Amino acid sequence: MVEQNYGLLPGLIAVVNLGTTASQIIFLSNGQYLYTREIGMGGEHFTKAIADAMGISYEDAEQAKHKDQRGESVLSPEIQTVVSGVNDQFVSELQ
């Protein structure tokens, strides 16, 4: 599917499927499958971290992931900080 959409990509490529509670990372090298890694983290982890850090409901945090208080599709600096922390946890799971 990656090759159909982007052509043959040289080098090491990671395709990430970020699910609700788990994510899969598929590693390709020069278009050839290497392996898949599953991580027990997903979008729900980001939502919960936002809710906890900002003291808001899960539903409000879910909306905040997609738009900020002005209704724009960019994350506010506060949410960026929270998301960055969860991203760091996500990356540490890969190592």
Side-chain angles (χ1 to χ4, degrees):
M1 183 175 194
V2 173
E3 193 171 331
Q4 289 176 331
N5 290 325
Y6 303 103
L8 181 61
L9 299 173
L12 182 64
I13 304 294
V15 179
V16 179
N17 174 20
L18 186 65
T20 301
T21 59
S23 299
Q24 298 79 35
I25 299 92
I26 302 165
F27 295 92
L28 306 168
S29 178
N30 297 316
Q32 298 297 310
Y33 171 81
L34 293 176
Y35 65 95
T36 300
R37 173 81 192 275
E38 184 161 322
I39 296 175
M41 292 181 71
E44 186 175 83
H45 292 83
F46 289 89
T47 305
K48 185 171 177 349
I50 292 168
D52 291 347
M54 299 185 73
I56 59 177
S57 71
Y58 184 90
E59 292 76 18
D60 288 342
E62 183 67 26
Q63 288 183 335
K65 279 193 325 189
H66 301 287
K67 62 181 180 179
D68 66 10
Q69 292 82 7
R70 297 174 302 248
E72 297 177 7
S73 61
V74 295
L75 298 177
S76 68
E78 297 86 5
I79 295 175
Q80 286 179 11
T81 300
V82 174
V83 168
S84 179
V86 179
N87 281 341
D88 290 345
Q89 293 173 6
F90 188 88
V91 169
S92 72
E93 289 287 325
L94 285 174
Q95 298 174 342

